[in-house]
Amino acid sequence: NAGVTQTPKFRVLKTGQSMTLLCAQDMNHEYMYWYRQDPGMGLRLIHYSVGEGTTAKGEVPDGYNVSRLKKQNFLLGLESAAPSQTSVYFCASRTPTNEKLFFGSGTQLSVL
Amino acid sequence: GNSVTQMEGPVTLSEEAFLTINCTYTATGYPSLFWYVQYPGEGLQLLLKATKADDKGSNKGFEATYRKETTSFHLEKGSVQVSDSAVYFCALSPTGRGADGLTFGKGTHLIIQP
């Protein structure tokens, strides 16, 4: 009963490096989301997807790219990491008919 | 645009105290309203929700009533426990916006002392 799984759980990058965060869900959910959580800011939506092969921008998309090649996976990429991208990243998913979001346990990213 | 405002805290209470965490929102139409809880080191979990005016959501002793006239969705619990220590997020889902993600408040850190 895995639900939403995020890898890695922790990562430290140097400015300018690239990386990909993986989100996998086993609930056959159509909709998937990437949020970032910062102190005093709550959660802000980066990108989301309503199905395989589709993506859309959220509130804070700059500096990130995403891909949804398979229904169960949603990848978040940082092409050239910046210290401002130091944050905790959460993936979430849901069905079209139920607004309840299921969250992963998060990835803590530090960019030095 | 849509927004959610909640007290940030930290809110520190003694065990068995009464809890209120205020939440107000700005949105067009009739949004759905949620409270999510985040325990240390974990992702957010849905605590309760309400989808229309005057609905009351409840779970694990927590309650919140959707008040359209005051655009509020305050979270209450009659007797808190140490295990309730967590960060609580109020959120809304806009009316008829399909797949758009939830709009979250900044979160309220609740600390319950034995």
Side-chain angles (χ1 to χ4, degrees):
Chain A
N1 195 18
V4 179
T5 303
Q6 292 183 231
T7 53
K9 294 190 182 301
F10 303 94
R11 186 71 186 268
V12 178
L13 291 178
K14 295 181 179 179
T15 297
Q17 287 185 319
S18 64
M19 78 161 295
T20 300
L21 281 66
L22 171 63
C23 176
Q25 53 93 5
D26 61 2
M27 297 173 284
N28 202 33
H29 286 172
E30 286 81 0
Y31 297 172
M32 297 186 74
Y33 304 83
W34 276 108
Y35 286 90
R36 60 178 289 174
Q37 183 182 28
D38 302 292
M41 300 294 292
L43 276 79
R44 293 180 291 170
L45 182 64
I46 305 171
H47 286 280
Y48 65 99
S49 167
V50 300
E52 184 176 320
T54 72
T55 63
K57 294 180 179 180
E59 180 185 356
V60 288
D62 294 342
Y64 304 96
N65 57 77
V66 287
S67 64
R68 184 100 181 266
L69 298 180
K70 294 182 178 181
K71 184 178 183 179
Q72 63 268 33
N73 295 337
F74 195 28
L75 279 64
L76 178 70
L78 287 72
E79 290 187 348
S80 180
S84 61
Q85 294 177 304
T86 294
S87 187
V88 181
Y89 292 85
F90 286 99
C91 177
S93 70
R94 71 172 178 96
T95 69
T97 55
N98 188 336
E99 293 167 307
K100 176 181 178 180
L101 280 175
F102 292 80
F103 282 84
S105 57
T107 295
Q108 188 169 327
L109 175 66
S110 295
V111 182
L112 307 178
Chain B
N2 301 316
S3 67
V4 175
T5 302
Q6 61 179 112
M7 53 202 300
E8 291 186 38
V11 174
T12 303
L13 296 173
S14 297
E15 203 166 20
E16 299 183 1
F18 184 87
L19 169 70
T20 299
I21 300 177
N22 290 337
C23 170
T24 57
Y25 68 90
T26 301
T28 56
Y30 299 89
S32 296
L33 301 174
F34 306 83
W35 277 101
Y36 277 80
V37 58
Q38 183 181 30
Y39 299 104
E42 299 182 8
L44 281 70
Q45 306 172 25
L46 179 64
L47 180 60
L48 53 84
K49 71 174 185 180
T51 57
K52 61 183 186 296
D54 299 325
D55 266 3
K56 177 184 284 187
S58 62
N59 186 26
K60 299 181 180 180
F62 291 89
E63 293 183 340
T65 301
Y66 189 143
R67 302 289 189 197
K68 186 160 179 64
E69 64 275 13
T70 55
T71 62
S72 65
F73 193 53
H74 304 323
L75 183 69
E76 297 182 335
K77 187 175 185 182
S79 177
V80 293
Q81 306 300 312
V82 172
S83 57
D84 294 327
S85 298
V87 181
Y88 292 81
F89 292 90
C90 186
L92 69 81
S93 177
T95 305
R97 292 294 297 273
D100 283 13
L102 300 184
T103 298
F104 287 89
K106 294 182 178 182
T108 300
H109 187 194
L110 176 65
I111 301 169
I112 306 301
Q113 297 178 334

